Amino acid sequence: MRTTKSRFSLFDLPGLPTWAKGLFLFLVLAALSVAIVHAAEPQLYTCGMHPQIIKEEPGDCPICGMKLTPIRSNSGGKASGAPKIKYYQSSMIPGEVSPKPGKDSMGMDLVPVYAEANSDAAAIHIDPVTIQRMNLKTGLVTRGPVIREFRTVGSVVYDETGLRDITTKYEGWIEKLYVNTTWATVRAGDPLFEIYSPDLYNAGLNYVVALRSEGTTGGSITRSALTRLQLFDVPAAIIAQLQSTLEVPRTFVFRAPSNGVVIEKMALAGQMMKPGERIFRLADLSQVWIEAQIYEQDLPFVQVGQDATVHVSYGSEKIIQGQVDLLLPQVEDQTRTTTARIVLPNPDGTLRPGMYVDVRFNAQIATDAVLVPDLAVLRSGEHNTVFLANDDGSFEPREVKLGARTQGNLYQVLDGLAGGERVVTSGQFMLDSESQLRDAIQKMLRTSAAKTTERAMPPATDNTSGDREKTMLTPDTSELLKTLAFATIDGGDALALDDLAGYQNNLPAMRRALSAFLQAHPRVAAGPLAGFIRNIPEPIDLATARQDFAILSTAIADLARENHLHHTEGLHLFECPMAPQVGTGRWLQREAELRNPFFGSDMLTCGEEIP
């Protein structure tokens, strides 16, 4: 018989049940898959002194020159066997950080700070114990009406409708003054002065003669004489006295026609008064005017008929409610205010002309708006920031746009928050310090990483790199580059001073110089200056001006450096690793003192001089 050799199979193992054979097969396949994964996973190498250096091949550290060591894989198959180090900081001075290990200013070793897994760069995580020590308090963002309340100063003046001049319609001599002082208070019917008037005496005498001749019933002569007395404003009581006594007194007593205070006294005893000449001026103080000064920005919130609250600090504080009676249509040139007139009753004389009072107005701007507590807002120039308290216990800075202030120390939020969110109302200054510290650290690390990568990367070969073909200049084109460089320097000096207008004024010279240089060197237009072939854009603000200038200045500075223009002309070449648009930007200066045009006053001394 012919025999055949059988092929081995896991399922042909004698003495093993079927389930055991299946389990054995699963374990074998799992081991093979792990081996395949580890075989496919590349081996990475790092520096023990500079963990941020990671390479796929062994070699030396580009920073310190030490041999790179392999990174052991963990059970998850990741390329890092230890938590990634973000930066190093001092254990004694929290604000002192470094992208690489070393010692702090006190001589203590810097300790590493590790990156948290899946952490948000903007969020700040603080443990509950620290939160309690920082006395952090939060409040809700609410919704409600926006009521604009503003205060202004007002002054008490006379009510012009209550002013009255005391005059006569006849000529006479004042023989006696019953009210002989200014600011005297008089009531209607009080005697003011005694006057002798030939015209008034003759009118009275004619009336008495007529009465004697025509009797008490009177005739045409009597009525004519009576009319003359009435035209002289002789009171009815004096006329009745003439009828009863039929005797004409030599002088007549003039009495006050109304209540008031004598604010002007023009007469003296024995003085002759002509018709219409002012003797006294009375002011009725039972009602006064309040003239409130309204600034231009508050004019939209004041109108005739609007309620106003007047606070009087004279004696015990008193609050009087009134309404705007008149809003003057003119704005004063000197004070830039207009006057709102408020009419107030003054029965007890509390309000005295010349007094200052506090006037308050309320105007509803919005019926429903997002409101944030005033204590929650951190103000820095034109920026307003709040810290949002997240549900996971972290805190996030958020910039908001504020509107008008309303009652309850709340501000209207135009953008950045929604009703129901929770914000920090106490202790946010520490959170702001922590947020700025983290931002500064991130900038430092990015700068360090960019420099490290630049040193570690092999030289590039494109036209925009350091190995591009140099632009060799003739004497004529060298002068064109010199003119362009000096025009760019003037533009950079203006940006360093945050002077947008100065930069715009210098743009025509920069455009002319750049156009002439590009015509002489067309090949240069294919590089970084390609975006400026037609023209240098007109900026709308400092930020856009600096973005365009960073590209233009870096390209021109590189051309000047290649041709040693800064050496021959005594210029200074500077470099900043955080320039907008370009990352590492360069610029030329006449002076040796560093003045960064890419950031101006924000980071005026950021950068270093390069040869």
Side-chain angles (χ1 to χ4, degrees):
M1 175 181 282
R2 183 180 175 182
T3 61
T4 59
K5 189 175 181 180
S6 63
R7 184 174 296 175
F8 175 77
S9 174
L10 292 174
F11 293 96
D12 293 336
L13 291 175
L16 289 179
T18 303
W19 67 268
K21 295 177 182 178
L23 177 61
F24 183 72
L25 178 61
F26 173 76
L27 294 176
V28 171
L29 293 176
L32 289 175
S33 64
V34 172
I36 292 174
V37 170
H38 279 276
E41 180 181 308
Q43 177 62 58
L44 301 178
Y45 299 85
T46 185
C47 175
M49 296 298 295
H50 304 91
Q52 68 270 25
I53 301 298
I54 299 177
K55 292 182 173 294
E56 296 183 356
E57 297 179 356
D60 297 333
C61 175
I63 299 178
C64 62
M66 294 181 60
K67 292 290 184 182
L68 300 178
T69 58
I71 299 176
R72 296 182 180 181
S73 300
N74 55 16
S75 59
K78 295 182 180 180
S80 59
K84 183 180 178 181
I85 298 177
K86 295 176 62 178
Y87 56 89
Y88 295 84
Q89 70 176 6
S90 171
S91 59
M92 301 298 293
I93 308 174
E96 188 172 339
V97 297
S98 172
K100 53 187 178 180
K103 295 183 180 295
D104 61 14
S105 57
M106 299 182 65
M108 303 290 290
D109 290 333
L110 299 174
V111 297
V113 177
Y114 298 95
E116 300 175 356
N118 301 324
S119 62
D120 184 4
I124 302 174
H125 298 269
I126 304 176
D127 61 274
V129 177
T130 305
I131 291 177
Q132 185 175 4
R133 291 177 179 175
M134 292 172 66
N135 193 28
L136 290 182
K137 296 179 182 179
T138 60
L140 281 176
V141 179
T142 59
R143 299 191 68 93
V146 179
I147 300 177
R148 172 68 183 272
E149 180 181 13
F150 62 94
R151 301 168 57 181
T152 185
V153 64
S155 58
V156 181
V157 299
Y158 298 109
D159 182 354
E160 294 179 3
T161 61
L163 296 178
R164 184 160 186 172
D165 282 344
I166 304 300
T167 63
T168 62
K169 295 181 179 180
Y170 43 83
E171 187 180 84
W173 285 261
I174 296 177
E175 296 197 351
K176 184 177 182 180
L177 283 174
Y178 294 97
V179 177
N180 201 17
T181 60
T182 311
W183 306 116
T185 301
V186 298
R187 296 187 176 276
D190 288 350
L192 297 179
F193 56 88
E194 187 174 323
I195 188 170
Y196 164 70
S197 171
D199 295 337
L200 186 59
Y201 180 81
N202 289 334
L205 188 60
N206 291 337
Y207 181 63
V208 171
V209 172
L211 286 175
R212 288 176 179 174
S213 62
E214 297 181 347
T216 56
T217 57
S220 59
I221 299 176
T222 303
R223 289 192 298 270
S224 177
L226 177 61
T227 301
R228 188 181 181 192
L229 289 175
Q230 292 173 343
L231 291 176
F232 280 148
D233 290 337
V234 176
I238 295 180
I239 294 176
Q241 181 182 353
L242 293 176
Q243 292 175 352
S244 61
T245 62
L246 297 178
E247 294 290 339
V248 181
R250 179 176 173 276
T251 60
F252 290 86
V253 176
F254 195 101
R255 299 182 180 272
S258 62
N259 299 336
V261 175
V262 177
I263 59 175
E264 291 185 23
K265 184 183 77 71
M266 310 301 295
L268 297 175
Q271 183 177 354
M272 176 184 176
M273 307 302 301
K274 294 184 176 296
E277 189 174 354
R278 183 188 303 168
I279 303 174
F280 293 104
R281 170 166 285 187
L282 302 182
D284 185 5
L285 298 182
S286 61
Q287 182 172 280
V288 294
W289 288 353
I290 304 296
E291 293 186 344
Q293 303 302 314
I294 309 298
Y295 289 96
E296 287 180 285
Q297 65 268 22
D298 296 326
L299 281 176
F301 310 111
V302 180
Q303 55 187 343
V304 176
Q306 181 176 347
D307 292 335
T309 305
V310 179
H311 292 249
V312 182
S313 59
Y314 170 74
S316 59
E317 186 175 0
K318 185 176 181 180
I319 300 176
I320 307 174
Q321 298 295 332
Q323 288 185 338
V324 178
D325 181 68
L326 177 66
L327 189 63
L328 269 63
Q330 181 182 359
V331 176
E332 296 294 335
D333 292 336
Q334 299 297 327
T335 61
R336 309 309 306 164
T337 62
T338 191
T339 301
R341 179 190 297 169
I342 304 168
V343 181
L344 292 182
N346 187 35
D348 55 357
T350 302
L351 299 174
R352 301 171 183 244
M355 289 176 55
Y356 287 109
V357 293
D358 182 18
V359 184
R360 304 181 186 183
F361 297 91
N362 290 328
Q364 183 167 320
I365 300 176
T367 56
D368 185 31
V370 179
L371 304 177
V372 65
D374 181 20
L375 294 175
V377 182
L378 291 176
R379 295 169 175 81
S380 176
E382 298 181 354
H383 301 281
N384 298 307
T385 306
V386 300
F387 279 88
L388 195 67
N390 298 320
D391 295 336
D392 60 356
S394 62
F395 302 92
E396 175 188 351
R398 184 178 296 180
E399 186 171 343
V400 295
K401 184 178 180 181
L402 299 181
R405 186 187 182 100
T406 185
Q407 296 175 339
N409 291 327
L410 300 175
Y411 268 96
Q412 178 186 13
V413 180
L414 302 178
D415 186 29
L417 285 176
E421 292 184 305
R422 185 169 291 275
V423 293
V424 179
T425 58
S426 175
Q428 64 269 44
F429 291 99
M430 294 186 179
L431 290 177
D432 184 51
S433 300
E434 177 70 16
S435 176
Q436 293 185 23
L437 176 61
R438 292 191 180 196
D439 183 61
I441 290 171
Q442 292 299 324
K443 288 182 179 179
M444 183 186 301
L445 293 179
R446 286 195 297 268
T447 303
S448 176
K451 289 184 178 179
T452 303
T453 304
E454 185 178 349
R455 288 193 294 264
M457 290 179 61
T461 57
D462 61 359
N463 289 335
T464 62
S465 68
D467 276 359
R468 63 176 171 83
E469 183 180 356
K470 293 185 177 181
T471 305
M472 304 305 297
L473 304 179
T474 64
D476 293 338
T477 54
S478 179
E479 286 297 320
L480 294 177
L481 177 60
K482 176 181 174 181
T483 303
L484 177 59
F486 278 99
T488 308
I489 289 174
D490 294 336
D493 291 342
L495 293 179
L497 296 173
D498 300 333
D499 184 6
L500 178 60
Y503 176 77
Q504 292 172 330
N505 292 336
N506 195 63
L507 276 178
M510 295 170 60
R511 290 166 178 163
R512 290 192 299 269
L514 179 60
S515 176
F517 182 75
L518 292 180
Q519 289 179 3
H521 270 285
R523 293 181 57 188
V524 179
L529 294 176
F532 305 99
I533 294 178
R534 294 186 177 180
N535 207 351
I536 302 175
E538 186 74 25
I540 59 175
D541 52 26
L542 277 173
T544 56
R546 283 165 173 158
Q547 290 175 2
D548 297 333
F549 183 77
I551 302 173
L552 178 66
S553 173
T554 301
I556 295 173
D558 290 343
L559 290 172
R561 188 181 188 188
E562 290 174 2
N563 294 272
H564 304 284
L565 180 65
H566 59 304
H567 294 150
T568 59
E569 297 297 329
L571 302 177
H572 300 271
L573 181 62
F574 295 90
E575 183 178 73
C576 173
M578 295 185 292
Q581 300 293 326
V582 297
T584 301
R586 289 168 285 279
W587 73 96
L588 293 167
Q589 286 186 192
R590 293 183 177 87
E591 297 81 10
E593 181 183 359
L594 190 154
R595 293 177 298 174
N596 192 318
F598 306 140
F599 297 100
S601 59
D602 291 339
M603 290 191 293
L604 189 62
T605 59
C606 177
E608 59 182 357
E609 187 171 3
I610 58 177

